[in-house]
């Protein structure tokens, strides 16, 4: 009896997190610990310019102060033991050090890993219209379609490469949206970030294909601190996707990324995320701490749209935000967050209206199952000069079972009387009666749950690029397996 | 088709069904009447496998199979359909999407190809006409914001789409205006066939004016206290349940005998 139970648990686990394999790739790992020498080591490993090292060191000193004064922020509705920042290794890279000229030079084991994730770099290169940058343990290993993009002047490469090839561009925009001292994790990231993606779309150019980055944490005991910077010059358009997975490990791993988006006048940036970091096991053992700062800045008539489907991580702490600095600029946030078992999420957005006639839309769908706790935390701020600003927020929570929780913390700060701010919230529950009704019509319980959940999320899914929408739906099914009953 | 033998069932530890024995053959329509709280809906829930309804004794055979051993969705796919007394709302799920999945789950079970969106819509529009439903409801969320009467119509519409072998209609007539009652009854009558059986739970003769039952049963306190032809329904309508209750001892012992015979000497 107990044997078969264990066996089924094991099978369940496989099903639940199918990306939990570990790749046996030799990697170059820095010893655990955080100090100036480590920051210098990272910078020198990456052969960075001097100003970059100085920038990192400034961040590191700021972080040390923050850490000594208050430690990590504790205002979010999540619980976790203090993190020992000296026990983490801040740099891990696949060993093969030489710069890669093409995909053919990538370690075959690495390519196999991405194949397993359903991202065949070779296939993608040949078939689809998606350019992929693959980041493995903080280091970008392959970027596809570079040539085709270069023809229209689009730069899409790893952050390290950008620092080597386009240092002036990076220097001009880095930290302009998320300053070095923005918050504890962003400051930490500024000190130790190892890689990430850089995109630059010149004025007037519509990026001819979706740009996408896949992040994979592989090495044990390492943190992942990637940095993404996207700049869309005047009138430029770009759609960017990121996907994330990690192996199953018993210890928690820290992921503290920073994403900065710059939308110059009339530019349009669409940023989509499917986040599926390892969520930990049923009892809450292991899993990624996902403490991420994402922010975009819109100049006149520009638009930034964040769309995210978050099913992974033991703890999620992130608030993709838009600073609507220019007149007539538009910010959007579409989010589906799923928490099951012992997962915790405190997530939402900030829409900061500075310019006139600025407009923002927030659609947040939270799904909780098992013993998971989820909070929506959203700020809508209308500054005194933001004439005729408009915001519409809708936060819906769906509960599966009665051991989970959903909380909503809207912060509305209006300092201009012409503003129109609307906030709607709802909480519903997949009830036994709904499931029985579906089953009485011949649907299995799993299908019924996934149909109800997909219906609940459809306003967000329709914002995702096609191929991601399919992936997102499948992910939701996996994440909620066995969540009812 | 359906053989219920000495069925006992509990809800929350409370005995609700206290020995129901009933045979329904293909092609027959059985009316089940009885005062509020007598166990009519409970019987429907037990037959369709709703959670929380615990069978403590007895058996149910459907087409030669042990119905009680099957999961609710298996029963549905095998052809047991319940028109709910209180149809459930499912916000965010369109009726068309929901029903297409249901129809295809049943088809798959019988080894048939899935209907594609075009074929499904064609069929759905045809059947919607039958119960005079506006096509637009196909795009609305299942039962959400439907009026009481529309919900009942939607139940019958789903029945015509799913073409069950055994349909259990739990107070499908309540909440319907006169015209709706007629269209719903027409929908039900159109479904009558020698291969199909129906159990029609109702309080009113007015439904049975439209849907002619072969047999009528009166349920009281979890037992069938009287069975008869269509005339029994008329009598109930005229005299209420009191006269049967007085007679119920006789009804009881008679049924008890049947139940004994069924259980056999072994028990
Ligand atoms: N969860 C429950 N706990 C205790 N008693 C219950 C529960 N559910 C139903 N019952 C009881 O079971 C009995 C039968 O209920 P049922 O719904 O089957 O009656 P009914 O014959 O369908 O009545 P109506 O004509 O009003 O629809 C009632 O006394 C009801 O209160
Ligand atoms: Mg009832």
């Amino acid at each position: 009896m107990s044997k078969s139970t264990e066996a089924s648990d094991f099978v369940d686990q496989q099903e639940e997190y199918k990306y939990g394999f570990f790749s046996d790739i030799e990697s170059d790992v820095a010893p655990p610990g955080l100090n100036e020498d480590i920051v210098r080591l990272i910078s020198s490993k990456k052969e960075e310019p001097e100003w970059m090292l100085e920038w990192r060191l400034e961040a590191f000193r700021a972080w040390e102060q923050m850490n000594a004064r208050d430690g990590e922020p504790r205002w979010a509705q999540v619980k976790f033991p203090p993190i020992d920042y000296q026990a983490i290794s801040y740099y891990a890279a696949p060993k093969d050090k030489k710069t890669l000229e093409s995909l053919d030079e990538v370690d075959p084991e690495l390519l196999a890993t991405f194949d397993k994730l359903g991202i065949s770099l070779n296939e993608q290169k040949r078939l689809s219209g998606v350019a992929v940058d693959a980041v493995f343990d903080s280091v970008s290993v392959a970027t596809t379609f570079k040539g085709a993009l270069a023809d229209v002047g689009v730069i899409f490469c790893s952050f390290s490469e950008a620092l080597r090839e386009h240092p002036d561009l990076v220097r001009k925009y880095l930290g302009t949206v998320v300053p070095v001292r923005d918050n504890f994790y962003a400051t930490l990231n500024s000190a130790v970030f190892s890689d990430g993606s850089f995109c630059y779309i010149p004025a007037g150019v519509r990026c001819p294909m979706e740009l996408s980055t896949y992040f994979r944490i592989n090495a044990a005991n390492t943190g992942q601190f990637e940095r993404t910077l996207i700049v869309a010059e005047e009138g430029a358009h770009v759609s960017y996707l990121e996907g994330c997975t990690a192996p199953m490990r018993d210890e928690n791993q820290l992921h503290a990324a920073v994403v900065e988006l710059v939308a110059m006048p009339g530019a349009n940036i669409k940023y989509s995320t499917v986040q599926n970091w390892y969520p930990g096991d049923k009892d809450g053992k292991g899993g990624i701490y996902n403490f991420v700062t994402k922010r975009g800045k819109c100049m006149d008539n520009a638009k930034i749209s964040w769309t995210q489907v978050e099913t992974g991580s033991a703890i999620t702490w992130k608030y993709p935000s838009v600073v609507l600095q220019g007149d007539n600029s538009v910010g959007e946030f579409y989010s589906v967050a799923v928490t099951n078992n012992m997962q915790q999420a405190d997530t939402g957005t900030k829409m900061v209206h500075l310019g006139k006639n600025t407009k923002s839309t927030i659609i947040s769908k939270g799904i909780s199952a098992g013993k998971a706790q989820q909070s929506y935390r959203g700020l809508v701020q209308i500054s005194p000069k933001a004439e005729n600003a408009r915001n519409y927020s809708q936060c819906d929570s769906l509960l599966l079972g009665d051991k989970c929780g959903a909380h909503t913390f809207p912060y509305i700060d209006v300092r201009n009387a012409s503003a129109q701010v609307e906030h709607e919230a709802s909480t519903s529950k997949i009830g036994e009666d709904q499931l029985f009704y579906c089953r009485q019509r011949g649907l299995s319980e799993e299908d019924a749950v996934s149909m109800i959940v997909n219906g609940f999320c459809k306003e967000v899914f329709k914002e995702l690029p096609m191929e991601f929408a399919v992936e997102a739906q499948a992910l939701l099914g996996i994440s909620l397996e066995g969540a009812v009953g | 088709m359906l053989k219920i033998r000495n069925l006992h069932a509990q809800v929350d530890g409370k005995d609700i069904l206290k020995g129901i024995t009933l045979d329904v053959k293909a092609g027959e329509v059985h009316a089940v009447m009885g005062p509020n709280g007598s166990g009519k809906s409970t019987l429907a829930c037990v037959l369709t496998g709703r959670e929380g309804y615990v069978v403590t004794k007895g058996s149910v055979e459907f087409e030669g199979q042990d119905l009680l051993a099957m999961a609710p969705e298996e029963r549905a796919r095998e052809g047991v359909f319940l028109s709910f007394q209180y149809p459930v709302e499912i916000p965010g799920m369109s009726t068309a999407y929901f029903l297409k999945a249901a129809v295809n789950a049943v088809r798959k079970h019988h080894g048939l190809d899935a209907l594609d969106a075009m074929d499904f819509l064609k069929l759905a529009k045809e059947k919607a006409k039958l119960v005079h439903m506006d096509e637009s409801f196909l795009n609305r969320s299942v039962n959400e914001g439907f009026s009481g009467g529309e919900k009942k119509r939607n139940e019958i519409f789903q029945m015509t789409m799913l073409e069950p072998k055994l349909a259990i209609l739990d107070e499908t007539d309540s909440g319907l205006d006169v015209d709706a009652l007629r269209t719903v009854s027409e929908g039900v009558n159109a479904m009558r066939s020698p291969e199909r059986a129906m159990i029609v739970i109702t309080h009113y003769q007015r439904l049975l004016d439209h849907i002619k039952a072969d047999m009528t049963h009166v349920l009281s306190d979890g037992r069938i206290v009287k069975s008869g032809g269509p005339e029994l329904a008329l009598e109930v309508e005229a005299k209420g349940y009191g006269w049967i209750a007085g007679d119920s001892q006789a009804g009881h012992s008679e049924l008890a005998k049947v139940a004994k015979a069924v259980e056999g000497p072994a028990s």
Side-chain angles (χ1 to χ4, degrees):
Chain A
M1 182 70 199
S2 77
K3 270 244 158 57
S4 74
T5 315
E6 278 165 34
S8 74
D9 278 356
F10 177 74
V11 172
D12 279 355
Q13 276 203 351
Q14 292 295 317
E15 291 256 324
E16 276 157 20
Y17 196 75
K18 66 173 176 163
Y19 305 103
F21 56 86
F22 163 76
S23 304
D24 191 10
I25 289 168
E26 263 200 285
S27 60
D28 193 1
V29 182
L34 181 54
N35 49 53
E36 280 204 18
D37 289 344
I38 289 288
V39 175
R40 285 176 197 281
L41 173 89
I42 295 168
S43 192
S44 81
K45 283 259 181 205
K46 309 191 82 64
E47 297 159 32
E48 288 176 353
E50 186 60 27
W51 65 264
M52 191 69 249
L53 173 63
E54 287 309 320
W55 199 84
R56 286 175 180 276
L57 288 172
E58 185 202 330
F60 174 69
R61 288 168 199 139
W63 181 82
E64 266 193 318
Q65 283 172 7
M66 289 174 169
N67 195 30
R69 200 176 54 224
D70 304 315
E72 60 232 351
R74 288 285 166 180
W75 44 262
Q77 186 99 337
V78 294
K79 290 197 193 84
F80 58 97
I83 297 171
D84 181 356
Y85 292 92
Q86 298 303 335
I88 297 172
S89 164
Y90 290 84
Y91 183 79
K95 199 136 204 173
D96 198 348
K97 263 292 297 168
K98 65 179 194 302
T99 6
L100 304 168
E101 292 305 325
S102 78
L103 262 186
D104 308 334
E105 294 177 39
V106 175
D107 183 342
E109 181 79 20
L110 204 58
L111 286 180
T113 300
F114 281 96
D115 281 346
K116 267 194 238 176
L117 295 172
I119 316 148
S120 164
L121 297 176
N122 279 310
E123 279 293 297
Q124 297 246 359
K125 192 177 170 189
R126 251 184 316 121
L127 300 174
S128 70
V130 181
V132 179
D133 181 25
V135 176
F136 199 82
D137 286 343
S138 319
V139 172
S140 173
V141 290
T143 308
T144 59
F145 275 117
K146 263 197 195 145
L149 292 169
D151 290 345
V152 288
V154 172
I155 302 169
F156 177 44
C157 63
S158 73
F159 208 93
S160 318
E161 191 180 328
L163 274 171
R164 284 193 306 270
E165 311 284 330
H166 315 280
D168 297 341
L169 272 180
V170 176
R171 192 171 187 180
K172 183 169 171 196
Y173 292 106
L174 183 68
T176 57
V177 185
V178 180
V180 167
R181 291 164 192 271
D182 191 78
N183 71 76
F184 187 86
Y185 299 111
T187 305
L188 177 62
N189 172 288
S190 302
V192 300
F193 74 86
S194 27
D195 212 335
S197 294
F198 175 74
C199 313
Y200 179 82
I201 323 296
V205 171
R206 256 171 204 276
C207 189
M209 61 188 77
E210 307 266 359
L211 302 183
S212 119
T213 301
Y214 273 86
F215 294 102
R216 169 100 182 143
I217 297 179
N218 197 54
N221 290 319
T222 54
Q224 175 143 332
F225 306 92
E226 79 277 342
R227 186 117 197 161
T228 299
L229 175 57
I230 300 177
V231 179
E233 290 285 11
E234 194 157 343
H237 280 59
V238 64
S239 168
Y240 179 90
L241 332 166
E242 65 172 350
C244 331
T245 62
M248 287 154 68
R249 293 194 186 280
D250 285 345
E251 74 276 7
N252 297 106
Q253 279 179 284
L254 178 62
H255 172 253
V258 172
V259 176
E260 294 180 277
L261 310 183
V262 179
M264 297 309 276
N268 189 325
I269 302 179
K270 185 175 173 60
Y271 193 105
S272 314
T273 303
V274 173
Q275 185 263 111
N276 183 32
W277 297 118
Y278 178 51
D281 71 7
K282 278 202 172 73
D283 305 314
K285 193 166 189 204
I288 303 289
Y289 289 167
N290 192 36
F291 301 152
V292 169
T293 304
K294 290 182 164 174
R295 194 175 305 149
K297 185 164 75 177
C298 278
M299 307 314 282
D300 287 352
N301 304 308
K303 176 175 169 183
I304 289 180
S305 176
W306 298 101
T307 306
Q308 55 174 29
V309 175
E310 308 262 331
T311 62
S313 300
I315 300 178
T316 300
W317 179 99
K318 72 180 257 201
Y319 316 90
S321 307
V322 185
V323 179
L324 298 161
Q325 189 166 317
D327 293 347
N328 312 310
S329 57
V330 177
E332 293 175 342
F333 175 74
Y334 298 97
S335 169
V336 168
V338 179
T339 45
N340 194 1
N341 298 316
M342 303 292 282
Q343 280 176 278
Q344 310 175 64
D346 191 301
T347 183
T349 183
K350 296 180 198 173
M351 293 291 174
V352 180
H353 293 251
L354 301 175
K356 296 188 184 69
N357 305 315
T358 46
K359 209 172 122 187
S360 63
T361 304
I362 299 172
I363 308 282
S364 161
K365 304 277 179 175
I367 301 164
S368 274
K371 295 180 184 155
Q373 291 295 327
Q374 194 176 123
S375 303
Y376 168 81
R377 192 180 299 277
L379 168 71
V380 176
Q381 193 172 54
I382 315 280
S383 78
K385 289 192 182 132
E387 285 296 321
N388 295 318
R390 275 191 287 155
N391 163 266
Y392 173 74
S393 302
Q394 183 189 331
C395 306
D396 299 322
S397 308
L398 183 67
L399 303 176
L400 283 74
D402 40 28
K403 295 193 184 70
C404 52
H407 318 273
T408 305
F409 302 100
Y411 303 85
I412 298 171
D413 176 13
V414 178
R415 299 178 185 213
N416 182 310
S418 65
Q420 282 179 40
V421 176
E422 269 179 90
H423 180 90
E424 286 179 23
S426 78
T427 300
S428 50
K429 208 170 148 172
I430 297 191
E432 183 272 334
D433 54 342
Q434 289 175 329
L435 288 180
F436 179 66
Y437 190 78
C438 294
R439 295 177 80 186
Q440 211 306 301
R441 298 300 185 248
L443 302 172
S444 69
E445 184 160 295
E446 284 81 48
D447 287 347
V449 169
S450 96
M451 285 171 68
I452 292 173
V453 166
N454 281 322
F456 177 75
C457 301
K458 83 180 156 221
E459 286 158 281
V460 174
F461 283 166
K462 76 177 193 319
E463 295 297 323
L464 285 172
M466 194 55 179
E467 48 296 22
F468 254 36
V470 174
E471 190 179 330
Q473 284 196 15
L475 259 181
L476 238 59
I478 295 168
S479 308
L480 290 171
E481 212 146 83
V484 182
Chain B
M1 173 178 290
L2 183 72
K3 291 195 175 97
I4 306 177
R5 291 291 174 269
N6 192 29
L7 186 65
H8 287 68
Q10 288 183 341
V11 182
D12 272 350
K14 187 178 155 203
D15 292 315
I16 310 285
L17 299 185
K18 301 172 180 171
I20 302 241
T21 293
L22 181 64
D23 273 299
V24 179
K25 296 198 183 66
E28 291 181 348
V29 173
H30 289 237
V32 173
M33 307 183 81
N36 294 135
S38 55
K40 304 180 298 294
S41 294
T42 303
L43 176 63
C45 290
V46 170
L47 292 178
T48 49
R50 185 157 193 161
E51 225 171 278
Y53 292 76
V54 183
V55 174
T56 51
K57 213 170 166 188
S59 64
V60 180
E61 217 180 75
F62 175 69
E63 300 260 86
Q65 298 188 71
D66 179 0
L67 188 70
L68 301 178
M70 294 190 240
E73 58 269 34
E74 285 176 68
R75 300 182 199 199
R77 292 169 195 167
E78 282 292 326
V80 178
F81 177 90
L82 171 62
S83 167
F84 285 65
Q85 183 173 358
Y86 305 107
V88 179
E89 299 190 2
I90 312 178
M93 194 195 295
S94 84
T95 305
Y97 180 61
F98 167 71
L99 201 54
K100 178 164 168 273
V103 166
N104 283 335
V106 173
R107 289 179 67 92
K108 188 173 170 200
H109 183 73
H110 294 290
L112 299 169
D113 286 342
L115 290 185
D116 63 19
M118 292 286 269
D119 291 342
F120 171 81
L121 272 181
K122 194 165 156 254
L123 186 67
K125 286 178 179 176
E126 228 168 74
K127 303 285 186 186
K129 255 192 216 113
L130 215 66
V131 289
H132 299 261
M133 285 196 75
D134 193 287
E135 284 165 17
S136 65
F137 83 98
L138 283 168
N139 296 321
R140 288 170 58 185
S141 295
V142 177
N143 292 324
E144 195 187 22
F146 284 30
S147 75
E150 285 169 342
K151 283 181 183 169
K152 296 299 176 73
R153 265 191 233 225
N154 191 17
E155 295 292 287
I156 298 307
F157 164 69
Q158 292 179 44
M159 177 177 81
T160 62
M161 290 294 291
L162 291 164
E163 305 191 315
K165 287 186 196 141
L166 171 69
I168 305 165
L169 312 184
D170 192 354
E171 298 198 23
T172 299
D173 52 337
S174 60
L176 293 183
D177 63 36
V178 184
D179 292 337
L181 184 70
R182 190 176 310 114
T183 44
V184 161
S185 306
E186 278 164 12
V188 172
N189 283 330
M191 291 287 290
R192 284 184 81 153
S193 90
E195 291 86 46
R196 187 170 288 134
M198 294 189 191
I199 297 175
V200 179
I201 298 171
T202 184
H203 287 292
Y204 307 107
Q205 174 59 35
R206 56 170 205 166
L207 178 70
L208 301 172
D209 287 340
H210 295 283
I211 304 171
K212 297 280 177 242
D214 300 296
M215 293 277 286
T216 306
H217 310 277
V218 175
L219 209 64
S220 174
D221 190 24
R223 298 181 179 93
I224 293 178
V225 291
K226 198 153 186 80
S227 297
E231 71 290 346
L232 179 56
L234 287 165
E235 263 181 280
V236 167
E237 177 105 328
K239 303 196 226 165
Y241 293 112
W243 66 279
I244 306 176
D247 196 26
S248 76
Q249 276 321 102
H252 260 173
S253 51
E254 234 168 77
L255 276 157
K257 259 184 251 157
V258 177
K260 270 248 157 59
V262 170
E263 275 176 70
S267 62

